[in-house]
Amino acid sequence: MATDAYRDLYVAGLRNAHAVEKQALSIMTPQVERLEHYPELADRLRAHIEETHQQVSRLDEIMAQFDTSNSALKDMALSMSGGMAAISHSVAGDEVLKNSFANYAFEHFEIAAYSSLLTLADDYGFAGGDLLRVSLGEEQRMAEWIEQSLPLVTRRYAELYANEGQLAAKA
């Protein structure tokens, strides 16, 4: 019966990852609309939003192999919390910096989640490892991009703040 427990754990992890990706969408989507002075960041977020939609689809595909689907309750709860996080940062004068810090941390949370799911898939022979690896790679590349772009975003924010004030630097 341990096999059933491992399967249940894996399926719960897939559902959790699905909800986390929905949360990511609710965080990133409003950010894109507020990046007038940061076009490179907006473009990369748009691309990652598309990747995230694909990640949701991959998770749906894996869950279907286990005759299960996402948890609507988890999806809704995490989407709402993501929306609240986006709103809370929008009132901050340094919104673009706070969002960059949060996005960097969030990407690493997703990396950890996919790494854990891959451990279960590999150790117990569950389906979906190939699809999880694709998503993991996308999250790793996004985290790397954020890390590499953070100095540029910080400098751009500082220049706008120094020359035009806090409100101009915000978006």
Side-chain angles (χ1 to χ4, degrees):
M1 295 315 129
T3 303
D4 289 340
Y6 297 137
R7 180 195 180 283
D8 292 347
L9 181 62
Y10 184 62
V11 169
L14 292 169
R15 286 179 167 170
N16 291 339
H18 192 279
V20 166
E21 294 301 355
K22 292 291 193 168
Q23 182 181 27
L25 290 169
S26 71
I27 292 169
M28 290 185 293
T29 302
Q31 287 179 16
V32 170
E33 299 165 8
R34 302 176 55 80
L35 292 171
E36 174 187 339
H37 297 296
Y38 306 89
E40 301 86 4
L41 180 55
D43 289 345
R44 185 60 180 103
L45 276 176
R46 279 187 203 94
H48 195 57
I49 287 168
E50 288 305 313
E51 289 175 337
T52 303
H53 284 294
Q54 293 170 6
Q55 292 164 2
V56 168
S57 295
R58 284 185 210 114
L59 289 164
D60 286 336
E61 182 179 335
I62 298 167
M63 286 186 288
Q65 295 177 47
F66 291 89
D67 294 322
T68 191
S69 62
N70 62 297
S71 167
L73 182 60
K74 284 182 185 180
D75 284 2
M76 182 182 70
L78 288 183
S79 288
M80 287 176 57
S81 71
M84 294 304 294
I87 289 169
S88 69
H89 288 176
S90 70
V91 298
D94 57 351
E95 173 186 11
V96 70
L97 295 179
K98 283 186 172 57
N99 284 342
S100 294
F101 305 159
N103 290 347
Y104 185 66
F106 200 87
E107 292 303 322
H108 282 85
F109 182 87
E110 291 174 305
I111 289 166
Y114 281 116
S115 295
S116 179
L117 284 168
L118 276 166
T119 297
L120 293 172
D122 292 344
D123 287 0
Y124 302 105
F126 296 130
D130 53 338
L131 297 175
L132 294 171
R133 280 184 183 76
V134 172
S135 296
L136 174 61
E138 291 167 347
E139 300 299 0
Q140 290 169 327
R141 286 186 295 280
M142 183 64 180
E144 183 179 332
W145 186 89
I146 294 170
E147 182 177 9
Q148 291 173 354
S149 70
L150 190 55
L152 300 172
V153 170
T154 301
R155 288 182 186 108
R156 179 72 179 144
Y157 174 82
E159 290 168 13
L160 288 167
Y161 182 85
N163 294 325
E164 301 176 32
Q166 189 171 359
L167 289 176
K170 194 173 179 177

